[in-house]
Amino acid sequence: MKKLSVLFIDDDMFMLKALQRTARRAKPNWDFYICEDALSWQDALPHGVLPDAIFCDYLMPEKNGDELLEEIAAIIPSSVRVLLTGDTAEDVVSKVSEVSHFVLKKPFAAADLEDVFFCLERLDSLNFSLEMRNKLGRIGYFFPLPEIAAQLRTLFAIDDVDIGQTADLIKQEAFIAAKIIQIANSAFLGYHSKTVSLEEAIKRLGLKMTETIVISMLVNNCIAPKLPIEIHKKVNEWAFNYSKLSRQLSQSLGFKAVQLDNVFIASLLSGIGRLVFIAEANEFINIDADDNKMILDEATSLTVYILTLWGYPLELCQIILMQDKPDFAAKGLTDQKLGLIMYVVKVFLSGQLDEFAKTNLKTLIEDVDIIDWIDNC
């Protein structure tokens, strides 16, 4: 792994030194630079250095941090942007979230820096090209992990999770609660009896799937105002069908519960990148055209980029990336085969799987069970 570099910008030299000391203790092999003058931040960097992250204070005399990070995003879009602020009012956080990937509260804690550093290492391990990092960094609509989702993740980290407490938290979003009950009653989960209990629905789905559904729907709510209703609905339907079919095919091939959860989660969360990508596109996709118009070349990378910044496991992100670059020789109950399953289902949903395409696809794939599924499509 390469040596990473970080720039800290703050008009308070005492704060800068504290940030630098804490950062060096956490990552002694990284390069850390400091800048006290917001107007000359580029002079604080050695020639040719593109920092992997830039931390910036919100309130500064020459220029506020959100304005400075907007300027930085245009010049070094590949850098992860982190805003430090003592003002955590909802309107402030909402305002700065569109230009910053992270918003950290002052006074900062060492663990906050370490969380960001961990995400930087994860992004580096994904080996995105600089061109791709620049493209992803230029997309304007970013947001921190939604608050309820963050609370759920904290709750689920406890060994003995209280399902009642989980249900009470989700009930704050009535539409999400109703959707969870609907999915828990879906035939693809295999339950014959219906339930109207949110607690029972969560037990049926499991904590990981429940968390994924909540996050997916919260992201939908954030992005909905930026999209025509028809497009928003179509992407949501695509994501659910994608996750349902990927799980069903995986189950028929003998994958166990944990892996079934993983492929469901990876498929459903793939809708996040699509929604954000379309919301930021210069022109909306023509929803009256063929479904293959919904296949966006860089939406998968965008999904992984966002999920990595939210701290999702590297293994899950790698499965998501495999849906576009599968291992056609994959066999057995492996993550590589899950990626191949997602690829095949994605092609099927695109509407491009005619007889000619089926024949070509089957010549690439070695697993006979997947070939049988393609024949029956």
Side-chain angles (χ1 to χ4, degrees):
M1 184 177 292
K2 72 175 184 179
K3 179 190 286 189
L4 302 184
S5 61
V6 176
L7 172 64
F8 296 112
I9 305 172
D10 198 310
D11 62 301
D12 183 345
M13 181 55 71
F14 178 81
M15 178 62 69
L16 281 176
K17 292 292 187 181
L19 283 166
Q20 191 176 48
R21 283 195 304 271
T22 304
R24 282 176 173 166
R25 283 196 294 269
K27 298 294 177 185
N29 296 322
W30 290 17
D31 290 327
F32 296 100
Y33 307 100
I34 59 175
C35 176
E36 194 177 8
D37 181 3
L39 300 181
S40 59
W41 62 270
Q42 295 183 72
D43 297 335
L45 295 169
H47 179 71
V49 170
L50 299 177
D52 296 278
I54 297 178
F55 289 68
C56 184
D57 187 28
Y58 177 50
L59 290 176
M60 296 185 292
E62 298 92 354
K63 183 178 289 188
N64 277 352
D66 58 326
E67 298 172 324
L68 184 58
L69 287 182
E70 189 171 358
E71 174 187 318
I72 289 170
I75 299 172
I76 314 178
S78 62
S79 293
V80 171
R81 302 180 290 275
V82 186
L83 199 75
L84 299 165
T85 177
D87 188 349
T88 55
E90 183 176 346
D91 58 333
V92 172
V93 174
S94 175
K95 174 184 176 184
V96 302
S97 291
E98 293 201 13
V99 70
S100 57
H101 299 98
F102 293 90
V103 180
L104 302 185
K105 184 178 180 180
K106 294 176 67 175
F108 71 92
D112 295 332
L113 295 188
E114 291 169 6
D115 285 344
V116 177
F117 295 163
F118 177 66
C119 288
L120 294 179
E121 290 177 326
R122 291 267 311 287
L123 280 177
D124 183 60
S125 71
L126 292 169
N127 295 318
F128 286 142
S129 66
L130 179 60
E131 179 184 11
M132 178 59 72
R133 286 287 297 271
N134 283 336
K135 285 181 179 179
L136 297 174
R138 286 191 184 100
I139 293 176
Y141 197 81
F142 286 103
F143 36 81
L145 187 66
E147 182 61 28
I148 291 180
Q151 292 176 27
L152 276 180
R153 298 188 77 180
T154 300
L155 186 61
F156 291 169
I158 301 171
D159 290 335
D160 188 14
V161 179
D162 186 330
I163 299 297
Q165 188 177 354
T166 301
D168 288 341
L169 185 59
I170 294 174
K171 285 175 183 175
Q172 296 178 35
E173 298 284 345
F175 187 74
I176 294 177
K179 187 66 175 180
I180 287 173
I181 292 173
Q182 178 194 6
I183 294 174
N185 285 322
S186 298
F188 83 96
L189 282 181
Y191 289 95
H192 299 292
S193 61
K194 301 294 184 180
T195 182
V196 294
S197 164
L198 182 56
E199 288 86 348
E200 176 62 27
I202 293 169
K203 290 177 183 177
R204 289 184 179 186
L205 291 169
L207 299 180
K208 289 173 65 177
M209 286 178 64
T210 298
E211 177 191 330
T212 301
I213 293 166
V214 170
I215 289 176
S216 179
M217 294 192 67
L218 288 171
V219 170
N220 285 337
N221 292 343
C222 290
I223 297 175
K226 306 192 82 172
L227 289 172
I229 294 174
E230 296 86 354
I231 293 179
H232 186 246
K233 180 181 178 181
K234 186 163 188 174
V235 176
N236 284 337
E237 289 176 347
W238 175 89
F240 181 69
N241 287 333
Y242 187 30
S243 59
K244 181 175 68 174
L245 287 175
S246 295
R247 188 182 190 278
Q248 286 176 338
L249 177 54
S250 301
Q251 187 173 28
S252 71
L253 299 182
F255 283 90
K256 304 304 180 184
V258 172
Q259 292 170 304
L260 294 178
D261 284 350
N262 285 342
V263 76
F264 179 90
I265 291 166
S267 303
L268 186 60
L269 291 177
S270 294
I272 291 178
R274 288 178 171 233
L275 283 170
V276 176
F277 194 94
I278 297 170
E280 290 302 315
N282 291 328
E283 295 182 2
F284 292 123
I285 291 176
N286 179 8
I287 62 170
D288 295 323
D290 293 337
D291 280 347
N292 63 354
K293 295 290 187 180
M294 300 301 292
I295 304 299
L296 305 171
D297 293 341
E298 293 166 356
T300 300
S301 295
L302 180 54
T303 297
V304 169
Y305 186 74
I306 293 172
L307 294 181
T308 300
L309 292 175
W310 284 354
Y312 271 77
L314 179 61
E315 294 76 16
L316 179 67
C317 291
Q318 288 173 332
I319 293 173
I320 293 173
L321 287 172
M322 288 179 206
Q323 69 182 288
D324 289 336
K325 297 180 179 179
D327 177 2
F328 290 108
K331 293 182 178 179
L333 304 180
T334 64
D335 286 349
Q336 287 72 24
K337 190 169 175 180
L338 289 179
L340 178 57
I341 288 169
M342 290 175 65
Y343 172 81
V344 171
V345 172
K346 189 174 183 179
V347 173
F348 169 72
L349 288 176
S350 73
Q352 298 176 338
L353 203 57
D354 56 22
E355 291 304 316
F356 179 76
K358 284 183 180 182
T359 301
N360 286 339
L361 186 56
K362 288 188 294 183
T363 62
L364 298 173
I365 296 172
E366 296 185 11
D367 190 284
V368 294
D369 292 323
I370 295 181
I371 291 174
D372 288 343
W373 186 86
I374 294 172
D375 281 330
N376 293 323
C377 285

